[in-house]
Amino acid sequence: MFERPRSGERALLVHMGIGQGVAEDVQEEFEELARSAGAEPLATFSCIRQRPDPRFFIGTGKADELRAAVKDLDAELVLLNHALSPSQERNLERHLECRVLDRSGLILDIFAQRARSHEGKLQVELAQLRHLATRLVRGWTHLERQKGGIGLRGPGETQLETDRRLLNNRIRTLGQRLEQVDKQREQGRRTRQKAEVPTISLVGYTNAGKSTLFNYLTNSEVYAADKLFATLDPTLRKLELAPGLETVLADTVGFIRDLPHELVAAFKSTLIETRDATLLLHVVDAHDPERRARIEQVDEVLKEIGAEDVEQLLVYNKIDLSGDEARLERDSQGRARRVFISSVTGAGIDLLLQALHERLGGELLRGQLTLGSGEGRIRARLYELAAVIAETELEEGGWSLELVIPRRKLARLVSKEGLDPARFDLLPCSLDASFIQSEVPASSA
């Protein structure tokens, strides 16, 4: 009986088109997934069928061809760019005499390698166990001959039932732990909402440059690399777009076509940050010839997690590779819709900041305010709002303050403190990139 090897890196890649051939970009993406998991692709096989084969998915003839290739190339692993049923995966392993992994299993393996935080590891383990639950019998092939039944029950069935029970107990324990993480995140979200701090969530197809942009905007050092799913664990940083306009920027896991449902379920707490965001920065690789399809695929995932109604700002990144010019495009209502930038060179970042401020801060006012010596409370309040950019003490007592403040915050201050709006000598101003400031909070959770 075939026993699964403990590891396998030399891999054969298999694609099957239903009624038509497999697009070249789909094959390239799957090869990149395989390399991201640490596999060494030896050869690629493709076939076309009108419907999947119930036994082998790819059909008996292609399975025989793969069996010969496994022996000739000394392959240890066969990767299929499709979702296999547990029985199809098991049948292929027996026929090919090597380990077989479908698309979901491959992506889960990559996530397992990339998880670094406690929460990320819990989420990945939960996703893996849910995926494994339907394939549990595969791990006990040496006992499959003992089917059980009246007078026939034996240790094989006992071991399987014990393992299923342990598996379900572990899934339940992980679910409870992640519920605690959900509560902590929810408390943080409520605190930000109470303080009226808007949240910006970076979303996009994997490898679009989200983490590089996140690092540029927040002066952080989140891991970023030119490979799929380089960033897995979510990271939050405070970002001050302008004096008095604080936001929270969230870097999230990249999306991909046919994202396994086990991952969507396990990463619920992470994806809620996207669903509850004030604004989504949809980062697009401007150099990718399939960028339109990538946008649609990300929108599909956003719809699946209930974030399809959150406002989006399209950010076309990597213009240093695509040859596009940095620019800001608006819709028919004059609202910022698309920004072309490079998070490597910094080109267009000022336009992105301008667009963010328009979406989140409204009109920005700048000018002078003179306060008497008895108005220290108003001065302190303006400092709390981070609206003071310069101050001069007056000889007769009091202060002359130079302010930059969003119109909405000024209106609340005037109403709460009973001030005369005419005292403020303020005029609209544009957002200057020099205003941007960021800091790492005490906790990134």
Side-chain angles (χ1 to χ4, degrees):
M1 188 66 68
F2 162 65
E3 295 291 343
R4 294 174 58 187
R6 294 186 178 181
S7 64
E9 294 184 348
R10 294 168 57 83
L12 303 180
L13 310 186
V14 182
H15 304 272
M16 189 180 83
I18 306 297
Q20 59 182 0
V22 181
E24 183 177 350
D25 69 295
V26 174
Q27 298 187 40
E28 292 176 351
E29 179 184 88
F30 190 62
E31 181 176 344
E32 192 172 352
L33 277 173
R35 294 187 184 279
S36 295
E40 177 190 347
L42 301 177
T44 299
F45 296 82
S46 300
C47 62
I48 300 176
R49 290 181 61 90
Q50 293 304 313
R51 62 184 63 85
D53 177 67
R55 184 183 178 196
F56 290 136
F57 187 83
I58 56 177
T60 303
K62 185 59 68 172
D64 290 340
E65 182 183 345
L66 277 175
R67 180 187 174 96
V70 167
K71 294 182 178 179
D72 292 342
L73 299 175
D74 193 26
E76 302 167 297
L77 177 66
V78 172
L79 300 173
L80 277 84
N81 192 15
H82 310 276
L84 299 178
S85 70
S87 62
Q88 288 168 339
E89 193 170 312
R90 190 162 58 249
N91 291 338
L92 279 171
E93 284 194 338
R94 289 171 175 166
H95 188 75
L96 303 177
E97 297 183 351
C98 77
R99 191 158 67 97
V100 174
L101 208 60
D102 67 359
R103 180 183 178 87
S104 295
L106 178 62
I107 294 177
L108 286 170
D109 183 81
I110 297 173
F111 272 55
Q113 295 180 43
R114 303 287 162 76
R116 293 291 180 269
S117 70
H118 175 65
E119 178 188 1
K121 291 176 180 178
L122 289 177
Q123 291 169 326
V124 171
E125 184 181 356
L126 180 59
Q128 286 181 315
L129 292 180
R130 285 173 173 168
H131 184 72
L132 178 63
T134 60
R135 291 159 165 78
L136 187 60
V137 67
R138 183 177 60 177
W140 301 97
T141 54
H142 60 293
L143 299 174
E144 281 185 343
R145 288 187 295 273
Q146 303 185 38
K147 298 296 184 182
I150 296 175
L152 298 174
R153 293 186 177 92
E157 187 175 31
T158 301
Q159 180 64 68
L160 287 171
E161 292 302 322
T162 300
D163 212 58
R164 286 195 183 98
R165 185 163 53 253
L166 293 174
L167 188 66
N168 290 332
N169 289 341
R170 181 59 178 168
I171 289 175
R172 185 163 50 251
T173 299
L174 290 173
Q176 292 171 350
R177 290 183 181 179
L178 285 172
E179 284 181 4
Q180 294 299 318
V181 175
D182 289 346
K183 292 179 181 178
Q184 294 172 2
R185 285 190 174 277
E186 181 61 30
Q187 183 178 6
R189 282 190 290 270
R190 286 198 300 267
T191 300
R192 293 196 297 268
Q193 291 171 357
K194 185 176 181 180
E196 296 183 340
V197 177
T199 301
I200 305 170
S201 184
L202 290 168
V203 300
Y205 209 80
T206 183
N207 205 27
K210 298 183 300 301
S211 295
T212 305
L213 177 59
F214 181 87
N215 287 337
Y216 192 100
L217 291 175
T218 64
N219 298 321
S220 300
E221 295 182 357
V222 171
Y223 178 67
D226 186 18
K227 55 186 177 183
L228 301 183
F229 300 120
T231 301
L232 176 57
D233 297 315
T235 307
L236 277 67
R237 294 289 186 270
K238 185 167 72 173
L239 175 68
E240 188 174 342
L241 290 174
L245 181 54
E246 290 183 350
T247 66
V248 171
L249 186 64
D251 185 23
T252 60
V253 63
F255 298 155
I256 196 170
R257 75 177 91 220
D258 302 324
L259 191 66
H261 291 289
E262 295 94 341
L263 280 176
V264 174
F267 279 72
K268 179 182 176 182
S269 63
T270 299
L271 297 174
I272 286 178
E273 292 289 350
T274 298
R275 190 192 67 190
D276 292 347
T278 310
L279 178 68
L280 300 182
L281 284 191
H282 186 160
V283 183
V284 181
D285 183 352
H287 185 56
D288 187 351
E290 300 295 326
R291 55 185 176 275
R292 291 186 181 274
R294 301 285 186 258
I295 293 173
E296 294 175 0
Q297 289 150 7
V298 170
D299 287 339
E300 282 296 317
V301 177
L302 291 175
K303 184 177 181 180
E304 187 173 353
I305 65 176
E308 69 273 20
D309 294 329
V310 182
E311 286 193 42
Q312 287 191 32
L313 176 64
L314 286 171
V315 180
Y316 285 82
N317 191 22
K318 303 186 182 182
I319 62 172
D320 52 307
L321 300 178
S322 68
D324 290 295
E325 292 184 358
R327 64 184 186 275
L328 172 60
E329 296 182 351
R330 302 180 181 275
D331 59 20
S332 57
Q333 284 76 40
R335 293 180 37 147
R337 175 60 180 156
R338 287 176 291 271
V339 188
F340 289 75
I341 69 160
S342 169
S343 53
V344 172
T345 67
I349 294 295
D350 57 335
L351 299 176
L352 173 60
L353 296 176
Q354 178 183 335
L356 288 176
H357 188 271
E358 290 177 8
R359 288 290 192 97
L360 300 176
E363 190 176 18
L364 193 67
L365 302 176
R366 183 169 187 168
Q368 300 289 328
L369 173 65
T370 300
L371 295 177
S373 57
E375 295 183 301
R377 171 187 171 89
I378 306 302
R379 174 176 174 270
R381 183 63 179 142
L382 287 168
Y383 271 99
E384 288 178 5
L385 295 174
V388 181
I389 61 174
E391 175 186 277
T392 303
E393 292 191 16
L394 304 178
E395 292 183 0
E396 63 273 18
W399 308 269
S400 175
L401 306 177
E402 184 177 358
L403 307 177
V404 174
I405 185 170
R407 185 181 293 275
R408 289 185 300 180
K409 287 194 173 184
L410 176 63
R412 285 197 297 269
L413 176 67
V414 167
S415 175
K416 186 175 181 178
E417 301 295 338
L419 300 174
D420 181 4
R423 292 186 58 187
F424 292 83
D425 184 18
L426 305 176
L427 295 174
C429 71
S430 59
L431 179 65
D432 189 322
S434 63
F435 286 151
I436 187 169
Q437 298 175 10
S438 61
E439 68 177 80
V440 181
S443 172
S444 61

